[in-house]
Amino acid sequence: MRSYTLTAGEKEIKTLKTPQGRHEVSYYQWQKAYEYLLLSQEAKQDFDDGKYEEATKKSIESISRVIAALSTGVTYKELLRIEWDKINNIFLLDFEWLSYEEPKKEFKIKGRKFTIPNFDNGTAGDYMDVMDLLKATKESGNDIDMGLTIAAVYLKEDKEYNQDIDAINERKEFFKKYAKIDLFYSVAFFLTSSLNKLKIDIRQHSEVLEELERLTSSLNGWASILYLQASQKAKC
């Protein structure tokens, strides 16, 4: 984490701590931040429609809410009382990793080693895992835990195929408590690739596709560029 001392309003001093990668962001922080990616997409649509004032407003809100969701020490309302140029510069400097961070294959969490399986040559066991995943996410009824289910099914501590529901549930609770979003991002990235290689049509399981997109989304710096473009247009 990187720390900044900022003035909110005239006197209030706040210490903002920003993550330097997905390895410093929790699963639930990411879930909270994701909806503001959609807000930035709305801003882009407003810009394309010539609604420059709305695009400017939504760009500012998207950037500020993403920072507040992924960082610690400052709320969204407090960020609105801080000089905008400082907020925008922090977003460009400290959140660049959102657009290019590479997925990883191996993780070590609390002394336990987990490996994402190699899907270059899909096995019968891999295929069964996919089917178990689709069934589990259908039955869970809890969208917020879908990423946890996906990670628990695929991240194993051994390379041998096994189908152990108790072990999956144990990993799910372990990841909920200790894992960071880089783990979920990597699993979703390689799972998406594996589903394509296995040629499994999961369009009917839209909730799975939505979760994979959520976990691999890039909340990148184009929102700042859009803000500049929209605000310049609004002044014309």
Side-chain angles (χ1 to χ4, degrees):
M1 303 289 280
R2 181 180 290 161
S3 296
Y4 294 92
T5 301
L6 302 170
T7 302
E10 295 183 358
K11 299 180 179 180
E12 189 177 5
I13 304 299
K14 305 298 296 185
T15 299
L16 171 67
K17 293 185 178 181
T18 57
Q20 301 304 294
R22 286 179 172 83
H23 64 286
E24 293 183 328
V25 175
S26 75
Y27 176 78
Y28 293 106
Q29 279 179 301
W30 185 263
Q31 295 282 5
K32 185 177 179 180
Y34 175 75
E35 64 182 288
Y36 300 112
L37 169 64
L38 303 182
L39 183 62
S40 68
Q41 292 174 348
E42 290 179 22
K44 177 62 167 62
Q45 186 60 56
D46 284 339
F47 180 83
D48 292 341
D49 293 341
K51 301 175 182 177
Y52 304 125
E53 293 82 2
E54 280 297 309
T56 302
K57 179 181 176 181
K58 288 179 181 178
S59 296
I60 293 173
E61 182 178 0
S62 175
I63 290 169
S64 300
R65 286 195 181 275
V66 167
I67 292 176
L70 299 183
S71 306
T72 61
V74 180
T75 66
Y76 168 66
K77 289 184 177 180
E78 288 169 338
L79 284 176
L80 294 182
R81 300 201 302 272
I82 295 171
E83 187 179 338
W84 166 246
D85 283 346
K86 292 181 180 179
I87 299 303
N88 194 34
N89 287 339
I90 288 172
F91 184 73
L92 288 171
L93 177 65
D94 278 16
F95 293 86
E96 187 181 10
W97 53 266
L98 288 164
S99 62
Y100 67 79
E101 191 168 7
E102 293 292 329
K104 297 185 293 185
K105 278 281 191 177
E106 297 182 349
F107 296 85
K108 187 173 182 180
I109 306 171
K110 294 291 183 179
R112 297 172 62 176
K113 294 182 180 180
F114 299 93
T115 303
I116 297 176
N118 187 342
F119 289 104
D120 289 344
N121 296 302
T123 66
D126 296 330
Y127 187 87
M128 290 174 68
D129 274 348
V130 173
M131 295 301 102
D132 285 342
L133 167 63
L134 297 180
K135 179 181 178 182
T137 51
K138 277 284 190 181
E139 294 176 349
S140 68
N142 189 352
D143 290 345
I144 198 67
D145 284 344
M146 286 183 62
L148 288 165
T149 301
I150 291 171
V153 168
Y154 282 99
L155 270 179
K156 304 182 180 73
E157 291 176 272
D158 59 72
K159 296 184 180 180
E160 294 296 323
Y161 174 76
N162 64 78
Q163 192 176 16
D164 188 333
I165 298 301
D166 289 338
I168 290 174
N169 288 332
E170 186 278 331
R171 288 196 297 270
K172 182 176 178 179
E173 293 304 311
F174 181 81
F175 293 151
K176 182 187 295 186
K177 188 173 182 179
Y178 298 113
K180 298 300 183 181
I181 196 61
D182 60 334
L183 178 144
F184 302 98
Y185 165 73
S186 298
V187 173
F189 177 88
F190 289 112
L191 176 56
T192 300
S193 299
S194 75
L195 292 172
N196 291 332
K197 290 175 182 177
L198 289 170
K199 294 181 172 57
I200 297 174
D201 185 359
I202 63 168
R203 286 173 295 180
Q204 59 181 315
H205 304 278
S206 59
E207 67 273 29
V208 177
L209 289 173
E210 289 171 2
E211 183 63 18
L212 295 178
E213 290 172 0
R214 187 198 314 272
L215 294 171
T216 55
S217 291
S218 295
L219 300 167
N220 54 37
W222 76 265
S224 288
I225 297 173
L226 175 62
Y227 157 75
L228 292 173
Q229 292 176 333
S231 59
Q232 288 171 357
K233 289 281 190 178
K235 293 175 182 177
C236 295

